[in-house]
């Protein structure tokens, strides 16, 4: 069975080296056709007997036309290993997508390892380039397929390489280009998915077609790669990732390690066709040009939350946009100019597909259905993309996904192609799906393999569970849970009993998810990928399948459930005497909502056991909370809002701020304590591979805006430590009852996000959780909705010797990559929740223009940003009309954070209350936005 | 890096449980008392055995058993870059020791007191698994020299990459940094005489990997036995029996 052959290969490892590798050519590689009579092993065969044509793809087709291949119209495809190898080397994203297609049981894609097959292995001929050799290998494989399968089936080589096609035809292999093949399928809609050939001459023609006057080079040429590499080593160019300002797409930053600062890039001309996220090479502009450009857009600095405040007429003006600004701004900030530069080359593209809609345009007359349209991404940072479509009338009112293909020097816009449409613009489901897609959230139903991992339903605690030696029977305890109303995934419950000694036994019981989710199963893999449940306004996207989330794991009232318990003995002064960790069986007596729990505690007539326990716990929690605050934990505020949703139409009926009660704080306190206890335990046992959560101390620069605001209102904040900050926040009380909360919200905004990390990666002082003032912290209490907690459960179980530690924990790089994924998913889930809230706010105000009170939180040269406490929204209010930009009528006082009219008649200062009018307008079609105007 | 692709093929086209091609030749050095060339794929090793003979250095003489000495070296041309390496570096000293201990275990040394057996192994071409190849070559050479042995010793390595146990690692797989378990066994008595690994592996995985290596050793033993049988037949034929 083994055939051995050696071949020589030269590689460059500093110098020329001759490498010899063996290749074992096999006769047990099968064609993958179900109807094939000579191949015995059919386990991997997919190609159906009805297939009259079998497609063999060339590398360029896979690389460029992956969107088309993902369409179910293309089936019975053979992917040669030589093609896969080339794709993998050139574009790992496309490789991942093609691998998904191969793995999907619904599709008929097979891999043929031609490089190891006895009859299709091709040896490089003298003087043959690797490319030619691979092309030949593809042709040889195609010919083998034709002779192997016989004349009944047509084997079609799809290639867009003219030379390859010609040679294939000469050798008697039928070959076609992807265009002609798709045309022969007779589905015009598919043609939209095709990537247009990017050869220069075709583009020139098109440009001429569309606007004859603009047939000229728009962008400077990118430098060749060799020049960039040498420039980088010499220090002339700087490498970094380009980040476009979210609120001003004509400004971008490149974080450069070589100069240790961010390089600012102004205008599309300087950006030179780079997209957000691309790795680029940047050349610094001469220093005298920094200044001038700087003054042009100083107002955009730190422009974080603002809804764009300079909207150019169209992106065609982009490279020459200038923003007149009052000279005063220029004077106040003459020295702090950052280096600015321009992009000379793109090292790595970050192109993917984008969601958005087409720019409205009239139907072109008599063009035979083929039309060019401009696509406007919902993400402002992405320039307009030109696409070619045959179904324009169909797409104009749709949200669509578009992928970018190329961007030539001669065209203002990158060209791309249509991928798929999501639905009607403005439709709630469409827009929600858009939010999910934008945040890379997988909302697909769970696959059959995942569901197969679930225990059979209906599930209940069996005697086997009870007899498990590690599991303690705690059904006799009076356990109850407190959650938001309507909560179905109850993952925590509490109990509190008084001991004869006068001490309390307090237990936190967490759903025992790891009893059902075992490492290495498809269910576990899926949960690792999802990372967290996502809570949108009207729906929840689960991390684990519904039976687990809502039934088997959920600690519902009056049913026996498996739990992982942390049990403390506490003195009445809430000092922890001992901590015990154990798996258990519990039976919850009551599933309360926060409101119910609060009402029970407040109602002095009630003396039932649950209420008494609640009161005891609340007393303990208050002491613990007090102690935590003394240690310097920050009480930060957020502007969380709650919608009331119409059960029928799912439209929001009312919104208001989320109210926090004592009961919330009580539960929170015990969860924090449990997390801290578990963090200590797992770190002690596994110092190298524990998953912890840290919150870095904010730097001076990050707190800058907060300090400036505070100074303007005469408040002196001490930010030297979290304790000092907490104290000075407590002292910050103005005449305005809302003042303190506002300051806290602003403080929250200065903090970085807390992140998960693997304990082996950092040194212990860095483990600190700044916000909670805890040296160690982790997440243990919500394993149903967060994967981090599942990992921590496994660590804890291993540390008390119940299970062995899964092998994954021995692999630190992999653990780190899991932690990174969790952070990414967590952030995305938050962004998606916010997106969903924004969407519903918009729907709510669509028919309800409202007048309300707002606070000024930030000054701008032509207006200010206000925060509307009642609805938790924030947005710009313009003092000047959009058309005349600034005009010097208003004057900003940076020091005092005031904006004043030049004649001194009106002035606004920070944190001042103003009356505003809220209304949904649609300044640009398909981009409805909430407009705030001053009353 | 991907060492086993989703189709289940390794970089050189083998499946995870497959060994490289084996080749062996007895009697490569006429002057020696016994010699052999052993190849595992592109790894090629020559072994020469001298002895039993008089002990050269009297002080090393052992009165109740034979003295076994072993010298391992790598030819300068055995790797891609033709660097001149100093003789007797740490690595080759260690491998010499390993081979000596393994061979000592199967030679019936007490039958040849006050004598000396020299085993010289040299790597002609290195492509991973030189240690195993050396032991296999030495076994053949000892058998060729007619030195009494308890059993044949055979050796094979196995590794664990991409969560898959792999048999007989080649150079590329060997330098991936994963665990590399080298096992030497006495196939007839089914005993392990050599077990080496300088990495961490969970114990249950380790058992699988080691089992795989043992299977490899047994396959090699079968091959070596065939070669010896063939050689004996040749000798028979030449003697005209």
């Amino acid at each position: 069975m083994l055939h051995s052959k050696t071949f020589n290969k030269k590689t460059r490892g500093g110098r020329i080296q001759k490498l010899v590798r063996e290749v074992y050519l096999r006769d047990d590689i099968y064609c993958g056709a179900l109807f094939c009579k000579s191949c015995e092993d059919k386990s991997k065969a997919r190609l159906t007997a009805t297939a009259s044509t079998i497609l063999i793809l060339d590398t360029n087709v896979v690389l460029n036309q992956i969107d088309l291949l993902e369409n179910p119209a293309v089936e019975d495809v053979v992917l040669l290993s030589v093609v896969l190898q080339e794709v993998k080397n050139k574009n790992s994203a496309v490789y991942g997508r093609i691998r998904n297609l191969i793995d999907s049981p619904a599709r008929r894609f097979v891999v043929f390892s031609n490089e190891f097959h006895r009859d299709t292995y091709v040896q490089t001929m003298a003087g043959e380039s690797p490319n030619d050799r691979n092309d030949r290998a593809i042709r040889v494989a195609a010919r083998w397929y034709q002779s192997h399968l016989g004349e009944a089936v047509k084997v079609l080589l799809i290639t867009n390489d003219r030379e390859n096609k010609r040679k294939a035809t000469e050798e008697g292999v039928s070959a076609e280009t992807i265009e002609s093949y798709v045309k022969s399928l007779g589905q015009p809609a598919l043609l939209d998915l095709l990537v247009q050939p990017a050869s220069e001459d075709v583009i020139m023609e098109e440009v001429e077609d569309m606007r004859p006057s603009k047939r000229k080079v728009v962008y400077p040429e990118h430098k060749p790669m060799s020049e960039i590499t040498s420039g980088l080593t010499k220090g002339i160019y700087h490498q970094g990732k380009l980040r476009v300002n979210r609120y001003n797409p004509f400004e971008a930053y490149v974080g450069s390690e070589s100069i240790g600062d961010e390089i600012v890039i102004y205008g599309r001309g300087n950006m030179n066709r780079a997209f957000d996220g691309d790795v680029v090479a940047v050349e610094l502009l001469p220093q005298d040009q920094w200044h001038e450009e700087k003054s042009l857009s100083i107002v955009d600095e730190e422009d974080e939350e603002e809804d764009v405040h300079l909207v150019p007429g169209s992106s065609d003006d982009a490279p020459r946009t200038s923003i007149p600004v009052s000279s005063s701004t220029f004077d106040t900030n003459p020295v702090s100019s950052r280096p600015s530069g321009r992009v000379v080359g793109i090292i790595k593209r970050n192109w993917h597909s984008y969601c958005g809609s087409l720019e409205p345009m009239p139907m072109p007359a008599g063009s035979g259905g083929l039309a060019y349209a401009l696509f406007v991404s919902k993400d402002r940072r992405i320039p307009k993309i030109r696409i070619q479509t045959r179904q324009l009338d169909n797409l104009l009112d749709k949200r669509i996904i578009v992928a970018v293909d190329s961007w030539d020097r001669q065209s203002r816009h990158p060209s791309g192609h249509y991928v798929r449409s999501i639905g009607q613009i403005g439709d709630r489901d469409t827009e929600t799906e858009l939010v999910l897609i934008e945040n890379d959230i997988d909302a697909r139903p769970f696959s059959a393999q995942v569901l197969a991992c679930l225990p059979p339903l209906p599930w209940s605690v069996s005697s086997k569970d009870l007899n498990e030696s590690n599991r303690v029977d705690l059904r006799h305890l009076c356990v109850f849970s407190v959650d938001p109303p309507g909560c179905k995934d109850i993952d925590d419950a509490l109990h509190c009993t008084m001991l004869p000694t006068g001490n309390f036994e307090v237990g936190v019981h967490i759903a025992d998810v790891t009893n059902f989710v075992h490492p290495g199963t498809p269910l576990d893999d899926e949960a690792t990928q999802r990372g967290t449940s996502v809570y949108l306004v009207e729906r929840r996207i689960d991390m684990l399948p519904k039976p687990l989330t809502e039934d088997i794991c959920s600690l519902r009232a009056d049913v026996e459930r498996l739990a992982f318990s942390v049990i403390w003995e506490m003195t009445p002064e809430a000092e922890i005497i001992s901590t015990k960790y154990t798996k258990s069986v519990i039976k919850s007596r009551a599933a309360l909502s926060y409101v119910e729990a609060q009402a029970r505690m407040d109602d002095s007539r009630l003396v039932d056991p649950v209420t008494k326990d609640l009161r005891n716990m609340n007393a303990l929690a208050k002491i613990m909370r007090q102690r935590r605050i003394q240690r310097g934990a920050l009480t930060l505020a957020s502007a969380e809002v709650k919608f009331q949703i119409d059960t029928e139409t799912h439209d929001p009926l009312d919104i208001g701020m989320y109210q926090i009660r004592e009961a919330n704080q009580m539960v929170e306190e015990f969860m924090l304590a449990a997390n801290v206890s578990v963090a200590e335990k797992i770190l002690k046992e596994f110092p190298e591979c524990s998953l912890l959560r840290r919150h870095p101390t904010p730097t001076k620069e990050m707190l800058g805006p907060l300090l400036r605001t505070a100074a303007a209102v005469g408040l002196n904040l001490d930010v030297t430590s979290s304790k000092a900050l907490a104290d000075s926040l407590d002292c910050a009380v103005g005449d305005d009852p809302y003042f303190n909360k506002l300051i806290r919200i602003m403080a929250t905004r200065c903090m970085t996000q807390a992140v998960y990390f693997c304990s082996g990666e950092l040194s212990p002082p860095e483990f600190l959780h700044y916000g909670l003032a805890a040296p160690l912290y982790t997440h243990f209490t919500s394993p149903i909705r967060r994967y981090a907690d599942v990992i921590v459960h496994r660590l804890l179980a291993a540390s008390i010797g119940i299970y062995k530690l899964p092998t994954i924990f021995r692999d630190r790089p992999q653990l780190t990559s899991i932690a990174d994924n969790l952070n990414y998913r967590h952030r995305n889930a938050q962004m998606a929740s916010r997106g969903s809230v924004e969407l519903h706010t918009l729907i709510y105000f669509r028919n309800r223009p409202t007048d309300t009170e707002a606070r000024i939180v930030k000054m701008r040269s032509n207006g200010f940003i206000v925060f509307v406490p009642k609805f938790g929204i924030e947005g710009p209010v313009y003092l000047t009309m959009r058309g005349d930009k600034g005009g010097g009528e208003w004057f900003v006082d940076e020091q005092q954070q005031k904006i004043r009219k030049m004649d001194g008649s009106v002035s606004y200062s920070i944190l001042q209350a103003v009356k505003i009018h809220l209304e949904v307008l649609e300044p640009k079609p398909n981009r409805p936005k909430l407009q705030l105007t001053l009353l | 890096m991907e060492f086993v692709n989703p189709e289940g093929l390794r970089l050189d086209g083998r499946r995870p449980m497959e060994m490289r091609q084996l080749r062996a030749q007895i009697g490569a050095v006429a002057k020696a008392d016994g010699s052999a060339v052993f190849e595992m794929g592109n790894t090629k090793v020559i072994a020469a055995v001298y002895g039993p003979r008089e002990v050269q250095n009297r002080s090393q003489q052992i009165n109740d058993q034979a003295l076994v000495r072993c010298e391992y070296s790598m030819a300068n041309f055995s790797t891609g870059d033709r660097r001149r390496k100093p003789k007797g570096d740490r690595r080759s000293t260690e491998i010499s020791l390993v081979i000596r201990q393994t061979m000592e275990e199967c030679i019936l040394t007490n039958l040849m007191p006050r004598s000396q057996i020299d085993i010289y192994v040299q790597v002609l071409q290195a492509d991973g698994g030189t240690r195993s190849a050396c032991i296999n070559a030495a076994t053949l050479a000892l058998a060729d020299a007619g030195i009494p042995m308890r059993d044949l010793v055979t050796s094979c390595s196995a590794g664990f990459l991409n969560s898959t146990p792999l048999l007989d690692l080649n150079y590329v797989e060997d330098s991936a940094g994963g665990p590399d378990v080298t096992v030497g066994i006495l196939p007839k008595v089914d005993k392990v005489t050599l077990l080496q690994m300088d990495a961490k592996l969970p114990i249950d995985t380790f058992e699988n990997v080691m089992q795989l290596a043992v299977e490899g050793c047994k396959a090699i033993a079968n091959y070596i036995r065939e070669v010896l049988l063939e050689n004996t037949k040749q000798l028979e034929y030449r003697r005209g029996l």
Side-chain angles (χ1 to χ4, degrees), chain A residues 4 26 36 43 66 392 418 510 531 539 657 683 859 862:
Chain A
S4 167
R26 321 184 62 99
C36 174
S43 59
I66 184 74
L392 185 64
Y418 159 83
I510 306 298
R539 82 187 251 228
M657 292 288 275
L683 187 69
M859 290 300 163
N862 55 352

Side-chain angles (χ1 to χ4, degrees), chain B residues 122-207:
Chain B
Q122 184 165 37
V123 179
L124 301 179
Q125 190 167 278
D127 187 26
T130 52
R131 206 173 293 233
S132 303
C134 285
I135 291 173
N136 296 333
T139 306
L140 269 177
L142 283 171
D144 185 35
I147 289 170
M149 291 198 283
R150 226 179 295 277
D151 193 359
L152 294 169
V153 203
T154 56
S155 167
C156 187
S157 68
F160 191 70
L161 291 168
N162 298 150
S163 315
T164 324
L166 301 180
L167 186 63
D168 192 13
L169 305 183
N170 67 21
Y171 178 73
V172 184
E173 291 163 334
D174 205 8
S175 44
D180 174 16
V181 184
T182 304
V183 180
I185 63 162
L186 300 174
K188 263 201 177 140
V189 287
D190 210 8
K191 288 225 163 94
V192 174
T193 59
L194 166 70
L195 180 57
Q196 269 196 315
M197 177 176 74
D198 15 331
K200 282 185 194 168
L201 256 189
I203 191 76
D204 39 352
T205 325
F206 170 76
E207 273 163 17

Side-chain angles (χ1 to χ4, degrees), chain A residues 1-2 4 6 17 20-24 26 28 44 88 95 99 111 113 116 804 807 810, chain B residues 2 6-7 9-15 18-21 41-42 80-81 127 172 202 204:
Chain A
M1 191 171 78
L2 286 176
S4 167
T6 57
Q17 203 182 43
V20 182
R21 301 258 183 278
E22 287 173 293
V23 181
Y24 286 84
R26 321 184 62 99
D28 64 345
K44 292 222 172 114
K88 191 178 170 191
Y95 179 72
R99 272 285 169 202
V111 179
S113 304
F116 298 122
K804 270 195 293 181
T807 46
R810 292 197 186 86
Chain B
E2 194 177 62
E7 283 69 50
L9 292 173
R10 287 154 74 172
L11 295 172
D12 56 3
R14 285 184 288 159
R15 293 194 192 279
E18 287 172 358
M19 236 186 311
R20 289 176 286 175
Q21 199 169 59
N42 273 343
D81 50 339
D127 187 26
V172 184
D204 39 352

Side-chain angles (χ1 to χ4, degrees), chain A residues 167-377:
Chain A
K167 280 190 182 154
T169 324
E170 270 173 19
E171 291 168 16
V173 177
S174 40
E176 274 196 65
T177 60
I178 186 79
E179 284 84 9
S180 55
Y181 173 69
V182 172
K183 276 189 192 127
S184 74
L185 286 177
Q187 294 184 38
L190 281 181
L191 283 168
D192 278 7
L193 294 170
L194 272 181
V195 174
Q196 299 309 314
S199 59
E200 293 262 312
D201 46 0
V202 179
I203 295 289
M204 285 294 276
E205 214 174 310
E206 281 169 17
V207 171
E208 200 167 28
D209 241 30
M210 284 183 80
R211 33 182 137 171
S213 62
K214 300 222 169 157
R215 207 191 128 203
K216 58 174 194 248
V217 173
V218 182
Y219 294 103
E221 204 167 358
H222 287 152
K223 297 266 193 296
M225 206 57 215
S226 53
E227 203 173 312
I228 291 176
T229 330
S230 70
L232 284 172
T233 46
K234 279 183 205 148
I236 310 169
Y237 302 145
H238 306 278
Q239 180 178 346
K241 201 180 227 185
L242 184 94
R243 286 181 297 109
V244 177
N245 187 336
R246 195 174 283 266
Y247 304 98
N248 177 7
F250 305 107
E251 187 182 274
Y253 312 99
V254 174
S256 161
E257 276 180 18
S258 47
I259 62 165
D261 195 7
E262 279 188 335
I263 303 168
V264 191
I265 293 160
Y266 298 104
R268 287 259 157 86
N270 283 338
M271 270 188 237
N272 196 0
R273 295 171 278 163
F275 267 56
D276 181 67
D278 289 354
V279 177
V280 294
V282 181
E283 178 185 51
L284 287 181
L285 290 172
Q287 193 143 12
D288 54 311
Q289 285 181 40
W290 299 3
H291 232 59
E292 174 203 358
E293 304 244 19
K294 182 76 191 168
S295 69
L296 289 179
S297 53
I298 180 91
V299 279
D300 296 307
E301 222 190 3
E302 300 157 15
D303 206 349
E304 289 294 282
E305 289 79 20
E306 189 171 6
D307 218 340
V308 78
H309 94 251
L310 44 112
V311 183
S314 86
S315 53
D316 277 25
D317 318 334
R320 284 171 297 283
T321 312
S322 63
I323 310 123
V325 111
S326 61
S327 55
S328 58
T329 336
F330 176 51
D331 290 336
T332 51
N333 236 340
V335 278
S336 71
S337 52
R338 288 141 103 190
S340 58
R342 63 185 189 90
V343 173
V344 292
I346 289 163
I347 296 164
K348 191 163 187 276
R349 279 288 189 193
N350 182 36
W351 279 347
H352 46 100
S353 36
Y354 304 95
C355 315
S357 52
L358 291 182
E359 202 168 60
M361 56 182 281
M363 279 298 288
S367 58
L370 189 68
Y372 290 97
L374 276 183
F375 163 86
V376 186
S377 168

Side-chain angles (χ1 to χ4, degrees), chain A residues 13 178 343 400 406 521 558 659 690 826 926:
Chain A
I178 186 79
V343 173
I400 61 171
S406 61
T521 55
D558 301 318
Q659 206 189 346
S690 290
H826 185 79
N926 302 330

Side-chain angles (χ1 to χ4, degrees), chain A residues 10 54 103 129 175 180 256 278 354 368 518-519 524 536 581 589 633-634 660 692 775 879:
Chain A
K10 274 181 192 152
I54 280 174
D103 292 340
S129 76
S180 55
S256 161
D278 289 354
Y354 304 95
H518 298 289
D524 188 55
L536 302 183
Y581 310 89
R589 298 291 189 275
L634 295 173
I660 293 176
L692 301 177
L879 291 168

Side-chain angles (χ1 to χ4, degrees), chain A residues 637-709:
Chain A
S638 69
E640 221 177 306
V641 290
K642 189 132 185 67
F643 282 90
Q644 239 170 4
I645 299 280
D646 189 315
T647 45
E648 289 284 303
T649 62
H650 295 289
D651 279 336
L653 292 175
D654 194 15
I655 55 179
M657 292 288 275
Y658 188 77
Q659 206 189 346
I660 293 176
R661 294 182 179 76
E662 220 171 49
N664 297 44
Q665 292 183 341
M666 178 192 86
V667 175
E668 189 196 342
E669 207 55 51
F670 284 107
M671 294 308 137
L672 290 180
N675 287 336
V676 170
S677 292
V678 170
E680 283 164 2
K681 175 76 178 170
I682 58 173
L683 187 69
K684 194 175 133 220
E685 212 71 26
F686 304 110
E688 285 296 306
C689 59
S690 290
L691 184 80
L692 301 177
R693 190 166 171 82
R694 73 194 188 100
H695 184 204
T697 312
T699 57
K700 262 264 152 41
E701 295 86 72
M702 285 153 66
L703 291 169
L706 173 69
L707 291 176
R708 243 174 288 149
T709 310

